[in-house]
Amino acid sequence: PVCSMGNSSSRLYSALAKTLSSSAVSQHQDCLEQPDSARLDPIDPKDLLEECQIVLQKRPPRFQRSFVDLKKNAASNHRPIRVMQWNILAQALGEGKDNFVQCPMEALKWEERKCLILEEILAYKPDILCLQEVDHYFDTFEPLLSRLGYQCTFFPKPWSPCLDVEQNNGPDGCALFFLKDRFELINSANIRLTAMKLKTNQVAIAQTLKCNETGRLFCIAVTHLKARTGWERFRSAQGCDLLQNLKSITQGAKIPLIVCGDFNAEPTEEVYREFANSSLNLNSAYKLLSPDGQSEPPYTTWKIRPSGECRHTLDYIWYSQHALNVNSALGLLTEEQIGPNRLPSFNYPSDHLSLVCDFSFNQDPDRLL
């Protein structure tokens, strides 16, 4: 049987046809057996984008967002490193648990929603991609992104809530992707976060990469902390544990660091202050979009649940502020673009906005962090 991907019969049909919807898993077990991605032919991103647009032709066009130039006359002798952070919304949670009361179920169909996600990634062409709530890693993101030239790593939650949903696609977790022609993997650590000395259900991935162009080392980490009101101390403990791990991996901040994540915490929370005041000397990149460079965006997630409207700033890209420069950051969607029914929608596949930043190394590698 064929796993339907729309009416297209393009060159990429066979590649995309194997990325299943959760409802099709039981009917199409043969499609779950993925060939070794390393042996598959590379995909031209333009071809994949065209394929996605064919599937999405009945949906409204993708929102247009612009990059804000943040360079302070800092010349760089290397191409910037583009980092994308995004909680993409686990399919099982979107359909089965999250209760987006203003979002039609039709808008959440995986066959089309995955193409909206891919379209967003292809539009911004990140060198490094950090994702949370990935529950279609093995049948969608790893096979496709590896053929686009990314090295792929996935670390699922030990007890994913996705597993409580009928016809789920397995556990969700964090995933990290980097372009193999730009970076060399030096070290990789999968971290199960602890709180009050107990292992928790939240995870992180931290990888030390060498930039092939400059020879400089840096560490990239992705995480997703515990959700919900009332768990502030728990998130704080998880943040402390992650920082301790990152101090060790970066040799006490000798190696520059970028941390992407859905922290499930507003800037008023203790875990935010821990990162802001850490000895790793981190700053939050999206603060630089504010007029004074001191305020986070007004929201990174905006949805309507049965309890009412939820508009929060929970997602961050932290970086070593003396070792790295933020050249530019992708502007957020406006309230008008998001619309009265909020997210997700036919226009946008997740309840969280993607964050994208261009980084460059400080020109003086010996400068103290």
Side-chain angles (χ1 to χ4, degrees):
V2 172
C3 307
S4 173
M5 182 59 189
N7 299 320
S8 166
S9 56
S10 79
R11 288 163 292 172
L12 290 174
Y13 178 77
S14 60
L16 284 163
K18 292 203 172 190
T19 68
L20 298 181
S21 68
S22 54
S23 61
V25 168
S26 58
Q27 301 159 24
H28 299 296
Q29 287 296 332
D30 56 321
C31 290
L32 286 174
E33 295 174 20
Q34 288 295 331
D36 181 355
S37 301
R39 296 182 196 162
L40 293 173
D41 292 335
I43 296 175
D44 186 324
K46 290 178 184 171
D47 290 343
L48 182 55
L49 183 58
E50 187 180 302
E51 177 77 5
C52 289
Q53 288 167 343
I54 290 168
V55 175
L56 297 171
Q57 56 193 341
K58 293 183 181 174
R59 292 210 180 200
R62 202 174 60 80
F63 293 125
Q64 293 305 304
R65 299 164 65 186
S66 300
F67 281 90
V68 179
D69 189 351
L70 299 167
K71 286 197 293 282
K72 296 172 184 167
N73 303 317
S76 174
N77 59 3
H78 67 90
R79 282 181 297 155
I81 296 168
R82 177 162 291 181
V83 176
M84 183 173 188
Q85 147 62 28
W86 199 12
N87 178 333
I88 59 171
L89 174 61
Q91 184 63 22
L93 301 183
E95 287 186 310
K97 274 182 175 279
D98 276 345
N99 294 315
F100 301 119
V101 292
Q102 299 289 2
C103 177
M105 285 302 289
E106 186 76 6
L108 295 171
K109 281 171 53 179
W110 179 242
E111 292 297 310
E112 295 179 9
R113 199 171 77 84
K114 72 182 172 193
C115 287
L116 274 178
I117 295 169
L118 289 166
E119 187 182 43
E120 182 98 343
I121 294 167
L122 290 163
Y124 300 123
K125 303 175 185 154
D127 299 302
I128 299 171
L129 174 62
C130 294
L131 301 180
Q132 299 87 34
E133 290 199 23
V134 179
D135 63 346
H136 275 271
Y137 175 81
F138 293 105
D139 63 38
T140 300
F141 294 103
E142 192 277 335
L144 289 175
L145 290 174
S146 64
R147 294 178 68 185
L148 289 169
Y150 289 91
Q151 184 154 326
C152 314
T153 305
F154 176 62
F155 192 23
K157 292 175 185 166
W159 316 296
S160 166
C162 293
L163 300 177
D164 297 335
V165 178
E166 278 189 46
Q167 294 186 307
N168 66 75
N169 201 61
D172 77 300
C174 292
L176 200 162
F177 309 84
F178 66 84
L179 286 177
K180 290 184 286 188
D181 66 352
R182 286 215 67 184
F183 311 106
E184 177 189 345
L185 179 64
I186 303 300
N187 179 56
S188 185
N190 286 357
I191 302 163
R192 185 171 169 190
L193 298 175
T194 63
M196 297 83 166
K197 299 188 178 177
L198 297 173
K199 291 191 171 178
T200 73
N201 194 33
Q202 280 64 47
V203 300
I205 303 168
Q207 296 189 333
T208 304
L209 305 180
K210 182 166 92 172
C211 174
N212 292 335
E213 195 173 324
T214 63
R216 300 278 298 269
L217 294 180
F218 68 100
C219 176
I220 177 78
V222 56
T223 194
H224 188 186
L225 301 187
K226 173 69 182 166
R228 297 203 175 87
T229 305
W231 291 85
E232 292 81 4
R233 287 186 62 201
F234 196 83
R235 279 191 287 276
S236 173
Q238 288 183 326
C240 283
D241 182 50
L242 179 56
L243 285 167
Q244 283 302 120
N245 275 279
L246 293 174
K247 282 173 191 171
S248 172
I249 290 167
T250 62
Q251 300 165 27
K254 285 182 183 170
I255 298 171
L257 173 64
I258 300 170
V259 186
C260 295
D262 174 357
F263 280 62
N264 275 307
E266 291 272 10
T268 50
E269 268 198 39
E270 189 178 341
V271 67
Y272 180 94
R273 291 194 294 274
E274 285 163 2
F275 270 73
N277 300 323
S278 160
S279 63
L280 292 172
N281 206 354
L282 301 173
N283 194 16
S284 173
Y286 264 71
K287 278 169 48 177
L288 301 178
L289 289 181
S290 67
D292 61 359
Q294 299 300 312
S295 308
E296 291 290 351
Y299 51 83
T300 63
T301 178
W302 202 343
K303 56 205 140 195
I304 301 175
R305 285 190 163 139
S307 57
E309 199 144 340
C310 306
R311 177 180 178 265
H312 299 291
T313 300
L314 307 177
D315 307 271
Y316 306 96
I317 300 179
W318 296 92
Y319 69 102
S320 299
Q321 59 186 330
H322 290 335
L324 297 166
N325 301 308
V326 184
N327 296 4
S328 61
L330 183 65
L332 298 170
L333 294 179
T334 64
E335 179 175 358
E336 184 181 33
Q337 284 176 311
I338 289 171
N341 294 330
R342 309 314 184 200
L343 305 174
S345 65
F346 281 108
N347 301 71
Y348 196 79
S350 175
D351 54 327
H352 289 252
L353 299 177
S354 63
L355 308 182
V356 187
C357 289
D358 290 336
F359 290 97
S360 60
F361 290 105
N362 189 297
Q363 293 311 295
D364 181 2
D366 298 320
R367 181 176 170 183
L368 289 174
L369 299 182

